[in-house]
Amino acid sequence: MKSVAVASRSDYGLLFEALERMFPVRFLKCDPDQVPPCDAVIWADWESGSTPSTPPGTRFCYLSCRCGSQGPNRASAIQFSRSSQLDERLRGRTMRHMSELRPLEVHGSPDVLALAGGRVIWAVENDGIHVIHRVSGELANVPPGKGLHEYLRPNQFFSLLPLIHFLRNVTRDECWEMPPIRANYLFDDPNLHWPTYGFINFPSLAEHARRHGYHVAFATIPLDNWFTHPRAAEVFASNPGQFSMLIHGNNHMRAEMARQMSDPAIMAMLNQCLGRVVQFEQRTHMPISRVMAPPHDVCTTAYARLMRQFRIDAITTSDIFKWVDPTRIDVPTHGVRPIEIVEGIPVIKRIYLMQALEPFYQDDIVLDAFMGKPIILYGHHQDLANGYDILAELTRFVDSLGNVEWTDFDTIMRGSFARRRSGAKLEIKSWSRRLNLDLPVDANELVIEKTGIPDPADEVIVCDRDQGDVLASIHEDRERIWLLPGMARRLDIRFQQPAGTVPERYQEHNAILRRILTESRDRLSPFCLRLVK
């Protein structure tokens, strides 16, 4: 645990409380004239050109600087340098910023990390004893009821991003090892009734994905799982690196998972949904990821809460704030964790792929990657009406963020945890309800940090990933697992609740007719477009 002094007479609301939840640090509020010995110090509202007196033994300093003397700079773009001291995901990028940033007064030859209008707004000085970050602008002031995500979004990120970057450097020797950047494309609605679906031709898309190195996940409607065309099944089975499936509602009715229904009725619907998925898997021998893409992108907390009982691992949606009561989430750190946890279930952010071509949303993708979020770009078949070039273009952009792993939702979720070694103890911080964990040979203790998972009602199941044997079933003291000598090192860890009792059969009138009409519309779209042309 690092001690970081905050030398300021100002109040920054929940900023430092939230950052303490993200980093192994303890912040010490102090008067700028009386800074105690510490590992690092943050000087808020400092004069740009001067350097404060650093306490003995303090290596890292962060100066949040007031306006320099060279005049205001209202440039709306920040140019990040290619310095090796800068996070790889930011190097060489130009990102838009609407707040006024004034240039710093710099002396000597500091390592410049960012410019605005050709003038320095972030620089690092390293004399071998101290590492001093000078950053233009004030620190983020996070009032009650707000989260850090408000200060780490396109056009408004510079009051927080450099500080997070600084704290990662300060805690580098104690910090968590994060998963790599994971990505995929997600298309809602397609089924396997034919080798094509609207503007999607499965064989040619698989070849395009293989050539350009991306992965496509299809959100299929369980109602459609009654039939699978042999050629479509062959394409999916022979291209597991390019194609996968997940769940898209149950019957795909309007706002299907946002309707007011009783818990027993929701459970009956989820039971029917999972029953259809299992029957499809048994018949075709093809897996469907236990990740839910709610129809029309909405899902209430009542549905999310009950999904845990049906072994659904996650939900993916574009805007969690559309359907989640802010009082039900951890507000200060909401939006900056790799995956959010709502009602004990992970929620993965996704971005509409047609918007991802715009600079605003590309900046959003860069910030998501910087915070370790999976990059999920979703759309519908009609978004490919002009061909697959848009996917090749977006793939090049995403790949420019660094070492990107294009993969399916199962792999994303089972790798969604951070790890940290401390002697024979391995600590993990999970954002998933199911993990694939490879243990170091000399580890004899596994500690699970609380992130909203496991939930108080969860049972922890530890299995041998190769043999499938249950090695442990833990109901109490679930945050600490002792690893016995000779225990398997490749583990499958599940946080699950007892299966709920389904009290009634679920039936919905007009679901089949509605789906026939919408599927017919989708499949006829290419022919209609040709007629129009």
Side-chain angles (χ1 to χ4, degrees):
M1 181 73 71
K2 301 292 187 181
S3 60
V4 180
V6 180
S8 174
R9 296 185 177 92
S10 302
D11 181 20
Y12 292 94
L14 300 176
L15 172 64
F16 294 108
E17 175 189 333
L19 291 172
E20 278 189 342
R21 301 188 191 186
M22 294 175 58
F23 294 97
V25 299
R26 181 171 57 92
F27 290 107
L28 311 170
K29 184 72 181 295
C30 64
D31 188 280
D33 298 325
Q34 297 178 341
V35 179
C38 52
D39 296 298
V41 59
I42 297 170
W43 301 85
D45 201 26
W46 191 258
E47 290 288 351
S48 174
S50 61
T51 301
S53 177
T54 306
T58 299
R59 175 163 171 73
F60 295 95
C61 298
Y62 185 97
L63 307 183
S64 176
C65 297
R66 291 199 290 262
C67 302
S69 61
Q70 300 177 55
N73 184 340
R74 292 183 173 83
S76 60
I78 293 176
Q79 300 93 34
F80 289 100
S81 73
R82 296 190 177 276
S83 168
S84 60
Q85 296 197 56
L86 194 62
D87 189 289
E88 180 184 11
R89 292 159 284 197
L90 302 175
R91 291 177 199 165
R93 299 197 176 278
T94 298
M95 298 175 67
R96 291 123 203 100
H97 200 274
M98 300 307 294
S99 301
E100 179 180 319
L101 293 169
R102 295 174 178 255
L104 298 171
E105 290 184 41
V106 293
H107 306 285
S109 302
D111 195 348
V112 175
L113 302 191
L115 304 165
R119 294 182 173 182
V120 179
I121 58 169
W122 183 8
V124 179
E125 303 164 16
N126 188 342
D127 62 6
I129 300 175
H130 302 106
V131 178
I132 302 174
H133 285 244
R134 295 183 189 271
V135 182
S136 174
E138 298 180 351
L139 296 175
N141 189 335
V142 185
K146 296 288 187 179
L148 294 184
H149 71 283
E150 301 275 359
Y151 306 90
L152 201 67
R153 58 187 183 182
N155 291 336
Q156 189 176 341
F157 59 85
F158 205 69
S159 64
L160 182 57
L161 183 147
L163 182 57
I164 289 176
H165 196 289
F166 171 77
L167 291 173
R168 285 178 180 172
N169 288 335
V170 171
T171 59
R172 189 183 301 277
D173 58 339
E174 295 185 15
C175 219
W176 296 86
E177 177 188 341
M178 300 294 290
I181 303 172
R182 286 82 44 84
N184 68 38
Y185 294 108
L186 165 60
F187 287 96
D188 289 347
D189 301 339
N191 57 42
L192 277 66
H193 293 174
W194 199 251
T196 62
Y197 187 92
F199 292 99
I200 294 176
N201 180 295
F202 293 134
S204 64
L205 181 58
E207 169 58 28
H208 191 269
R210 187 163 45 251
R211 187 169 1 115
H212 292 277
Y214 61 82
H215 186 95
V216 184
F218 296 95
T220 62
I221 303 165
L223 177 64
D224 288 346
N225 289 349
W226 60 274
F227 172 73
T228 304
H229 191 281
R231 175 58 180 145
E234 179 188 347
V235 174
F236 274 71
S238 58
N239 292 280
Q242 288 72 46
F243 283 0
S244 62
M245 291 175 280
L246 64 153
I247 307 169
H248 192 36
N250 180 41
N251 291 323
H252 202 279
M253 303 297 283
R254 180 165 296 281
E256 186 171 36
M257 295 189 166
R259 295 176 295 181
Q260 293 293 326
M261 295 202 303
S262 66
D263 281 6
I266 294 173
M267 293 172 68
M269 185 190 77
L270 292 173
N271 185 63
Q272 183 183 69
C273 167
L274 268 293
R276 289 166 167 172
V277 168
V278 170
Q279 289 175 3
F280 173 89
E281 292 176 326
Q282 292 174 342
R283 187 178 70 253
T284 65
H285 306 290
M286 291 190 295
I288 295 180
S289 297
R290 297 307 193 264
V291 172
M292 176 65 72
H296 309 108
D297 211 29
V298 290
C299 176
T300 67
T301 52
Y303 289 80
R305 171 172 49 84
L306 293 170
M307 283 182 195
R308 298 175 299 173
Q309 299 182 21
F310 291 88
R311 312 291 193 260
I312 292 177
D313 295 331
I315 297 169
T316 179
T317 181
S318 62
D319 186 0
I320 191 173
F321 289 104
K322 289 193 302 188
W323 52 273
V324 173
D325 179 354
T327 63
R328 306 295 293 256
I329 59 179
D330 179 11
V331 172
T333 59
H334 176 66
V336 296
R337 291 171 293 196
I339 295 175
E340 297 305 315
I341 309 296
V342 177
E343 295 290 347
I345 193 164
V347 181
I348 309 169
K349 175 182 173 181
R350 66 183 197 170
I351 296 174
Y352 182 38
L353 65 86
M354 299 302 286
Q355 291 176 329
L357 295 169
E358 302 170 12
F360 178 91
Y361 289 96
Q362 291 196 345
D363 288 354
D364 197 20
I365 291 171
V366 172
L367 293 171
D368 283 349
F370 177 72
M371 297 308 296
K373 297 175 184 285
I375 308 301
I376 309 299
L377 304 179
Y378 82 98
H380 295 82
H381 75 96
Q382 56 264 36
D383 296 318
L384 301 181
N386 295 320
Y388 305 147
D389 288 348
I390 182 177
L391 302 182
E393 180 181 348
L394 288 173
T395 299
R396 287 191 293 272
F397 171 73
V398 173
D399 284 344
S400 72
L401 295 169
N403 184 21
V404 179
E405 180 182 340
W406 290 88
T407 189
D408 59 277
F409 275 99
D410 267 351
T411 302
I412 288 174
M413 292 312 302
R414 296 186 189 190
S416 289
F417 62 92
R419 56 192 293 160
R420 182 170 65 182
R421 276 298 294 274
S422 178
K425 178 172 69 175
L426 177 65
E427 298 173 273
I428 64 171
K429 186 185 293 185
S430 175
W431 298 284
S432 175
R433 298 190 63 79
R434 187 166 185 176
L435 310 176
N436 284 350
L437 179 64
D438 293 334
L439 293 171
V441 176
D442 57 343
N444 61 23
E445 182 184 1
L446 176 63
V447 176
I448 303 171
E449 294 278 326
K450 290 185 177 180
T451 59
I453 296 177
D455 183 87
D458 285 343
E459 176 183 10
V460 180
I461 309 295
V462 182
C463 299
D464 183 333
R465 197 157 83 237
D466 297 318
Q467 303 299 324
D469 300 332
V470 176
L471 306 177
S473 178
I474 304 164
H475 300 268
E476 298 179 356
D477 194 22
R478 292 160 304 132
E479 289 78 31
R480 188 176 299 274
I481 301 173
W482 294 98
L483 307 173
L484 303 176
M487 192 175 187
R489 297 282 111 177
R490 286 167 46 83
L491 301 182
D492 177 13
I493 301 177
R494 287 171 278 166
F495 307 105
Q496 64 185 40
Q497 295 188 349
T501 302
V502 182
E504 57 185 82
R505 183 171 176 269
Y506 186 75
Q507 187 172 2
E508 194 156 27
H509 301 292
N510 301 325
I512 294 177
L513 176 60
R514 185 179 189 278
R515 183 57 189 143
I516 289 174
L517 293 174
T518 56
E519 181 177 349
S520 299
R521 175 203 63 199
D522 291 346
R523 292 189 177 280
L524 289 171
S525 294
F527 301 102
C528 294
L529 182 63
R530 284 198 289 270
L531 286 175
V532 170
K533 289 182 176 180

